[in-house]
Amino acid sequence: MHKRHSTDFSVVDIHSLSASCYQIVLKHPDTLPLVAPGQFVQVQLPDSANSFLRRPISIHDADFEANTLTLLIRKAGKGTELLSHVKVGDSVNLLYPLGNGFDLSLDKIGNNPLLIGGGVGIAPLYMAAKALKAAGANPKVLLGARNEADLLKKDDFAAITETECTTEDASFGTKGFVTDHVYMKGCVHQFTSIIVCGPMPMMRAIARVAEAENIPCQVSLENKMACGIGACLCCVTETTDGHNTCVCTQGPVFDSNDVKW
Amino acid sequence: MVNLTVNLGNNLVLNNPVMTASGTFGYGLEYDDFTDVDRLGGIIVKGTTLNLREGNAYPRLAETRQGMINAVGLQNKGVDYFCKNIYPQLLKYTKTKVIVNVSGSCIEDYVACAERVAALDHIPAIELNISCPNVKQGGMSFGTNPDMAGKVVEAVRKVYPKHLIVKLTPNVTSVVDIAKAAESAGADSVSLVNTFLSMAIDIKSRRPVLSTVTGGMSGAAIKPIALRMVWQVANAVKIPVVGLGGISSAEDAIEFIIAGASAIEIGTANFINPNIGNEVVDGIAAYLEANNMKDISELRGSLIL
């Protein structure tokens, strides 16, 4: 098990990305330890009057020169709403890096992986896309959202690698869900593997296609959790070995064939 | 220097009164990166049953104001797995006391599980969980009836010679009656409270948040009720009382000790601050010093009425 830390970071930037999503950049007081694409942090909330458990948030980006972590957060409830009000200079405690990231070894996922993100689920894919590109692979990215305004970071992804988008209202890219895109239709066989993070129905649909087409697929789950370190056992998902498995320590990334959908 | 040592009787001596509550601290190992586990008075490891239990379906967690409701349902790999695979890893803790929380769905299971744990030299005590609200059979049903509580404690007492803590549920009219039944049946101490039976509803879907509809509530919100129960029980039994329920700071812990608790357990607060246990140890020591007390026993039950 990798070493995990509890550290007070300071907020160096916070800004809104859409009506419901925002980005926080957090600076480590010293040298940022290594974090891997797909790992997450447990963010302590600034005020615990109403919501008091930590919030598990994917690591969107890590800058080891500036010693910063970037988080993309959707205001899903009171806790993430509360966190959206932190100011530059505020201190935010993180437990990190938690969980196992994506398996990005090329012998496992091949040279032509497809990275699919839905909504704020695009967050952990950014580091993965950069890492794959740096390793010499040719990743393609498919981002889906309800409309163009909710399509986060599409230009940042496009700056790394070939990026396609779908929107439910056709305001940008292909109309429909990510599963309606040609990548997931006739062209799916050009991909050596799929990595997906997004809403459960989306991941379930993609896992189904991947299984039917016999393409290795990694999914990143986001179950509700209290501790994030394997103690409370609240975040379990049922796996095909018949057990309830902790998403925080055994995931959040799973082989889609190991998850009981 | 103040003396924080607590002797709970029957060879259970804690270096300080701060323990971690079962189900909130894993096996201690999960917390090694974040705190000096061995410096705590005790760690009470995850509820252990005779056989493997998968626990309840997801979702198992609902956050509430200053609290949370869980419906884990005693997920664990069974006592034999614990003895073989986890116990050896716990031998590295030489100062803290490692205590196993034992649960079951019938008296025979409790007895068989306790017998296996009794054979482990490094485990000086068990905490008998007759109060889990999240299992269909057994669990809390043993803890809500004084006769049933007496029977299971008596049966375990026969096979378990070391320190026997009995963990009580607050979901009763008179927790004092259950505590007295446990005392009469041979418990060395009682711990209280386990979680409060509660529920949460998602108003968008009008469905329960938890897969089991109801679950057990813990966290800061329950502290005043837990404190009242601990005070009542401490005044009614002669055996030591271990207080828990929403303790989130040294001040909270001190309240429980003033109310009569010999030791305390920290639960849900571990999820928010994994170092809280040691912070509470330091806070209690600082309080004693500031109040010119040399020994934690001077504080215990010192409530002025």
Side-chain angles (χ1 to χ4, degrees):
Chain A
M1 168 86 74
H2 59 273
K3 167 88 179 161
R4 301 152 307 164
H5 311 271
S6 169
T7 304
D8 291 333
F9 283 68
S10 61
V11 177
V12 291
D13 181 47
I14 175 161
H15 66 266
S16 166
L17 297 173
S18 69
S20 63
C21 293
Y22 58 99
Q23 165 173 316
I24 302 187
V25 181
L26 296 162
K27 189 171 170 54
H28 191 282
D30 194 1
T31 305
L32 180 70
L34 211 58
V35 299
Q39 289 188 305
F40 68 100
V41 301
Q42 274 278 59
V43 187
Q44 187 162 9
L45 297 180
D47 169 9
S48 58
N50 291 305
S51 303
F52 80 137
L53 295 172
R54 287 173 182 262
R55 293 296 189 268
I57 306 288
S58 288
I59 298 170
H60 174 61
D61 200 7
D63 183 332
F64 297 100
E65 279 166 20
N67 296 305
T68 57
L69 288 178
T70 302
L71 310 177
L72 302 192
I73 303 173
R74 184 171 69 90
K75 292 182 216 166
K78 288 186 189 123
T80 42
E81 165 69 33
L82 207 55
L83 201 57
S84 73
H85 299 301
V86 298
K87 303 268 185 299
V88 170
D90 285 357
S91 173
V92 174
N93 182 275
L94 305 182
L95 305 184
Y96 73 102
L98 305 179
N100 303 308
F102 299 110
D103 184 344
L104 299 179
S105 53
L106 294 190
D107 54 341
K108 159 95 178 177
I109 65 169
N111 284 314
N112 298 302
L114 174 62
L115 278 52
I116 307 176
V120 77
I122 64 136
L125 303 183
Y126 186 64
M127 273 183 87
K130 284 201 293 188
L132 286 165
K133 202 73 184 174
N138 179 31
K140 286 194 169 69
V141 172
L142 175 58
L143 307 175
R146 276 178 306 181
N147 51 51
E148 186 180 5
D150 286 342
L151 211 46
L152 310 176
K153 301 274 176 179
K154 61 179 188 300
D155 298 336
D156 292 12
F157 277 98
I160 299 170
T161 194
E162 205 175 307
T163 300
E164 294 278 322
C165 298
T166 65
T167 50
E168 290 169 40
D169 69 351
S171 52
F172 191 88
T174 303
K175 179 177 164 47
F177 297 115
V178 287
T179 41
D180 296 320
H181 192 272
V182 65
Y183 278 175
M184 288 306 293
K185 300 281 186 189
C187 293
V188 72
H189 286 290
Q190 67 177 286
F191 300 109
T192 48
S193 69
I194 296 173
I195 286 176
V196 54
C197 182
M200 271 309 258
M202 183 191 115
M203 291 198 286
R204 188 182 296 123
I206 288 164
R208 204 168 283 150
V209 173
E211 190 185 7
E213 304 293 339
N214 205 20
I215 299 170
C217 177
Q218 298 177 51
V219 296
S220 178
L221 304 184
E222 53 156 15
N223 288 9
K224 278 193 206 172
M225 54 185 72
C227 72
I229 58 175
C232 74
L233 309 186
C234 288
C235 65
V236 294
T237 192
E238 206 179 346
T239 39
T240 46
D241 61 6
H243 296 304
N244 283 323
T245 304
C246 269
V247 167
C248 67
T249 50
Q250 304 304 304
V253 177
F254 289 91
D255 185 316
S256 67
N257 289 322
D258 292 341
V259 176
K260 217 165 177 178
W261 297 98
Chain B
M1 275 300 284
V2 293
N3 181 21
L4 293 179
T5 309
V6 174
N7 187 346
L8 292 177
N10 195 4
N11 298 314
L12 182 61
V13 179
L14 311 176
N15 288 337
N16 63 65
V18 180
M19 298 194 279
T20 55
S22 179
T24 67
F25 209 66
Y27 296 97
L29 306 164
E30 292 84 346
Y31 282 78
D32 281 336
D33 282 347
F34 304 111
T35 194
D36 183 356
V37 172
D38 214 14
R39 198 171 157 257
L40 298 166
I43 54 175
I44 303 182
V45 306
K46 177 69 194 160
T48 301
T49 50
L50 181 61
N51 299 310
L52 174 150
R53 284 183 59 92
E54 284 298 336
N56 296 319
Y58 181 85
R60 295 173 168 186
L61 170 66
E63 188 180 40
T64 62
R65 289 199 180 177
Q66 287 288 306
M68 59 173 271
I69 310 173
N70 89 80
V72 172
L74 290 174
Q75 178 174 342
N76 78 100
K77 291 184 172 169
V79 68
D80 289 333
Y81 181 91
F82 171 80
C83 294
K84 187 163 178 277
N85 300 95
I86 298 168
Y87 173 70
Q89 299 180 64
L90 305 180
L91 298 175
K92 69 175 183 180
Y93 299 129
T94 55
K95 297 195 279 291
T96 193
K97 296 296 183 288
V98 181
I99 296 168
V100 177
N101 180 284
V102 168
S103 205
S105 47
C106 61
I107 289 180
E108 293 73 21
D109 285 4
Y110 276 105
V111 167
C113 191
E115 268 182 319
R116 283 169 172 73
V117 179
L120 306 175
D121 291 339
H122 200 57
I123 309 288
I126 59 171
E127 182 181 60
L128 199 67
N129 181 3
I130 58 167
S131 45
C132 181
N134 290 327
V135 293
K136 282 203 184 75
Q137 280 115 29
M140 196 171 80
S141 65
F142 286 104
T144 51
N145 176 316
D147 291 339
M148 288 289 283
K151 274 184 187 141
V152 67
V153 173
E154 205 174 283
V156 170
R157 179 76 287 177
K158 280 183 187 147
V159 301
Y160 192 78
K162 292 190 264 186
H163 190 103
L164 174 59
I165 308 169
V166 177
K167 186 171 185 178
L168 309 178
T169 174
N171 301 306
V172 292
T173 309
S174 171
V175 70
V176 165
D177 291 349
I178 314 290
K180 283 181 170 169
E183 182 180 37
S184 307
D188 292 307
S189 62
V190 287
S191 59
L192 68 154
V193 299
N194 204 319
T195 54
F196 285 83
L197 197 58
S198 53
M199 70 185 283
I201 295 171
D202 177 344
I203 62 168
K204 281 183 201 147
S205 63
R206 280 188 280 135
R207 291 176 188 278
V209 175
L210 301 171
S211 69
T212 48
V213 184
T214 62
M217 182 171 166
S218 60
I222 70 166
K223 195 209 81 181
I225 319 176
L227 182 65
R228 181 265 296 177
M229 291 182 164
V230 165
W231 176 69
Q232 288 177 320
V233 169
N235 281 308
V237 298
K238 293 186 181 66
I239 53 177
V241 175
V242 178
L244 70 149
I247 296 176
S248 311
S249 65
E251 290 77 11
D252 291 343
I254 290 164
E255 281 192 73
F256 277 79
I257 296 167
I258 293 173
S262 297
I264 59 100
E265 296 177 20
I266 295 175
T268 304
N270 290 309
F271 299 150
I272 299 146
N273 176 4
N275 189 43
I276 184 71
N278 279 310
E279 290 175 18
V280 170
V281 174
D282 295 338
I284 294 172
Y287 176 90
L288 292 178
E289 267 175 37
N291 288 278
N292 298 314
M293 295 184 193
K294 290 188 173 57
D295 195 297
I296 184 80
S297 63
E298 293 172 57
L299 186 62
R300 186 189 318 132
S302 64
L303 182 70
I304 299 165
L305 288 173

